[in-house]
Amino acid sequence: MSSQPREAAGITVKKSEDFSEWYTQAVLKAGLADYAPVKGFIVLRPYGYAIWESIRDILDRQFKETGHQNGFLPVLIPESLLSKEEDHFAGFTPEVFWVTKAGTNDIGEKLALRPTSETLAYSMFAKWITSYRDLPLKINFWNTALRAEIKATKPFIRTSEFLWQEGHTVHATEQEAEQEVMTILGIYKDLIENQIAVPAVTGFKSDREKFVGAKYTTTLEGMMPVEGKALQMGTSHHLGQNFSKPFEIKYLGKDTKEHFAWQTSWGVSWRLIGALIMVHGDDKGLVLPPKVAPIQVVIVPIFKDKDAQEVKDHASGIEAELKRAGIRAYMDGRDEYTSGWKFNEWEMKGVPLRINIGPRDIAEGQLEFVRRDTKEKSKSGRNKLVETANILLEQIQSSLLAKATQLLQENISKPADYSEFKSTIEGKGGFALAGWCGRQECEVKIKEETGADIRVIPFEQKEMPDKCIYCGQQSKKAAMFARAY
């Protein structure tokens, strides 16, 4: 046991002064995750996993409501299967972990630890689909992916193994596949904005940045504070027939002819947890959106020894009433810590709402509510417990989204020329909305010279500049450029 006072366990740097160190401390000290013995890997602790469960449960419900089913895929993929779609796999080659031994024996064929599951899933789909009656096939997999990260790793944002979901669907027509792409993008947007309270710009990836093997990729891009870097928060890909042909996913149509199927794939990962830490957190630690917080309301009884049992019993009654109302509540009845220490701990863990209850509150029939996001305190009658808690939780959720939306808007600039573009990217960062001629040469040069790439070509093309920001030729698209994690 350390001799250091427990109060010293708080975050020791300011978010605005050392963002990277602040982020790492927030993850570790709030008990979300810890570093694993192997570089690039993290261990997800129960509090961090509980946030992932909230995200997973929200998505899982919506996937099932839209006709998707869950399945399971093994983690090992034979090399011969990967070579069936060489262009796709080539995009992952530098990141693949290979298994070459079973015990002390060499195995006949190298096995890849799944970087993504297209090739494995589609070899199975070819066996399962024979007729139009088998379509659409809509399967989601909750699993992990492994990619040997060679860049600087960051918990939740860039790790060599990560939790995610990957959906894979097969359709009879291209129109159905395109509808699927947009349906999933809508589900993701609702999750990211209305549950995690982080606004995202939706649109297409450029051909250079799209998923390898896709006809096109749609994306949701968020903007992170302080460093002004973008974060890809989810993608939904239209694969066309680029996989169905090499994997021979064919069906006998109503016209009694054989047709190649149309496919999609899509996914989000625990990177979303990283996004909500970065966007909402403050110098005290996490600030969790109520809709995904493992604990929405924490009740802290405040007492001296003679009042202990009465106050704890009252606090337990508050916890039970909130739980009956469907609110995730926890009563912190630990005797070994002061109420002040508990306040600091629950602030660091980002619990959206705290209720303080002491002997005087009981006598007056009052409760003190404290918002995590604004630190505001308010009093309410004990008889209005659930009503007040629900109102405040809704206000916190809305307030976090409004604040994050303002952050996004403040980080979108419209440079007049390439000189201003460069100074923006190299200065405050953020999204630079600029004209693009559509040529990869300009895209590559901008990346080489500034470190920024095209994060998203927004669906809404209301403000398209006349000229390409790099070459000055006629603009074909308005694109958002940024450096990214």
Side-chain angles (χ1 to χ4, degrees), residues 26-77:
V27 169
L28 299 178
K29 293 186 175 186
L32 298 181
D34 206 345
Y35 290 109
V38 179
K39 188 180 185 315
F41 290 76
I42 61 171
V43 176
L44 198 54
R45 298 180 67 180
Y47 194 58
Y49 194 79
I51 298 173
W52 178 245
E53 284 180 310
S54 291
I55 292 168
R56 188 188 67 192
D57 291 349
I58 291 163
L59 280 178
D60 200 63
R61 184 169 60 251
Q62 293 195 57
F63 290 158
K64 286 171 180 171
E65 285 171 357
T66 48
H68 302 83
Q69 295 177 300
N70 288 331
F72 170 78
L73 287 167
V75 74
L76 295 175
I77 306 173

Side-chain angles (χ1 to χ4, degrees), residues 67 125-126 128-138 169-173 176 244 249-254 259-263:
F125 290 0
W128 301 343
I129 294 167
T130 56
S131 162
Y132 70 89
R133 297 181 183 89
D134 301 320
L135 299 175
L137 179 67
K138 296 158 75 170
T169 68
V170 189
H171 305 269
T173 68
E176 283 181 27
S244 64
I249 303 172
K250 297 182 286 190
Y251 69 94
L252 195 65
K254 291 180 182 178
H259 303 271
F260 285 107
W262 300 85
Q263 294 180 261

